């Protein structure tokens, strides 16, 4: 039976195989964050409007769009939320095990721009020392900032 199934599989066109794999496997949203640092080593922190009270401070974050690289997601989210341009660096976290999402984080360095927040999503944005983080920083983001 295994040989028969393997033969049928090999006989399918690639697009049919991919459609079957897509249907059969789990689908995830990918949350992408950026640890953005300026030349002085400060980190860009945002107070997010839609996050839970008492845990509203965190990194620029958003979900990857279809066909978008995670690096492009970081740059887009920083630009949309703050108006700043960044150069995305190395991957610092890839975490799965959640029910419907996975999380990815990258280092990024500030390139240019003035902070102009998107008031629909962001209440406040500021550059802070990694050693002087405000209360209410999401615990997972605190780890990324202090460990990176």
């Amino acid at each position: 039976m295994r040989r028969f199934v393997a033969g049928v599989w090999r006989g399918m066109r690639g697009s049919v195989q991919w459609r079957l794999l897509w249907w059969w496997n789990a689908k995830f949203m990918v949350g992408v964050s950026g640890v953005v640092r300026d030349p002085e080593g400060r980190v860009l922190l945002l107070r997010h409007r839609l996050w839970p009270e008492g845990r509203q401070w965190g990194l620029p974050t958003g979900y990857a769009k279809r066909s978008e690289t995670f690096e492009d997601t970081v740059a887009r989210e920083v630009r949309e939320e703050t108006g700043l341009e960044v150069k995305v660096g190395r991957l610092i976290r890839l975490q799965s095990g959640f029910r419907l999402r996975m999380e990815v984080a990258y280092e990024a360095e500030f390139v240019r721009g003035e902070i102009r927040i998107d008031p629909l999503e962001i209440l406040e944005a500021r550059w802070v020392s990694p050693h002087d983080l405000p209360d209410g920083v999401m615990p997972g983001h605190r780890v990324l900032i202090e460990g990176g």
Side-chain angles (χ1 to χ4, degrees), residues 27 37 46 51 67 116 124 129 132:
K27 303 339 171 256
R37 296 185 194 275
L46 310 178
W51 289 13
S67 301
R116 293 181 324 274
E124 184 179 351
S129 165
D132 193 27

Side-chain angles (χ1 to χ4, degrees), residues 18-32:
W18 281 109
R19 288 177 200 271
L20 286 172
L21 288 170
W22 183 89
W23 178 78
W24 186 262
N25 287 287
K27 303 339 171 256
F28 292 92
M29 294 181 298
V30 180
V32 182

Side-chain angles (χ1 to χ4, degrees), residues 18-134:
W18 281 109
R19 288 177 200 271
L20 286 172
L21 288 170
W22 183 89
W23 178 78
W24 186 262
N25 287 287
K27 303 339 171 256
F28 292 92
M29 294 181 298
V30 180
V32 182
S33 299
V35 181
V36 180
R37 296 185 194 275
D38 70 2
E40 289 83 43
R42 297 177 300 172
V43 176
L44 179 63
L45 275 189
L46 310 178
R47 192 159 61 96
H48 296 263
R49 180 180 298 281
L50 304 175
W51 289 13
E53 194 70 36
R55 295 185 304 159
Q56 290 181 301
W57 283 104
L59 301 167
T61 301
Y63 287 101
K65 293 181 178 180
R66 188 181 316 262
S67 301
E68 182 178 53
T69 68
F70 299 151
E71 295 90 343
D72 287 346
T73 302
V74 171
R76 176 181 52 79
E77 286 295 332
V78 172
R79 189 174 49 258
E80 288 176 359
E81 294 175 346
T82 68
L84 301 176
E85 297 295 324
V86 299
K87 178 182 175 191
V88 179
R90 73 180 178 95
L91 175 70
I92 55 175
R93 181 204 290 166
L94 175 60
Q95 187 174 2
S96 62
F98 303 103
R99 183 179 165 110
L100 295 174
R101 77 177 197 285
M102 60 184 292
E103 295 181 357
V104 179
Y106 284 86
E107 291 180 334
E109 66 182 66
F110 168 70
V111 173
R112 68 181 152 269
E114 302 272 329
I115 293 177
R116 293 181 324 274
I117 62 170
D118 172 1
L120 293 174
E121 291 186 55
I122 307 302
L123 295 166
E124 184 179 351
R126 65 170 103 141
W127 294 102
V128 299
S129 165
H131 308 293
D132 193 27
L133 299 176

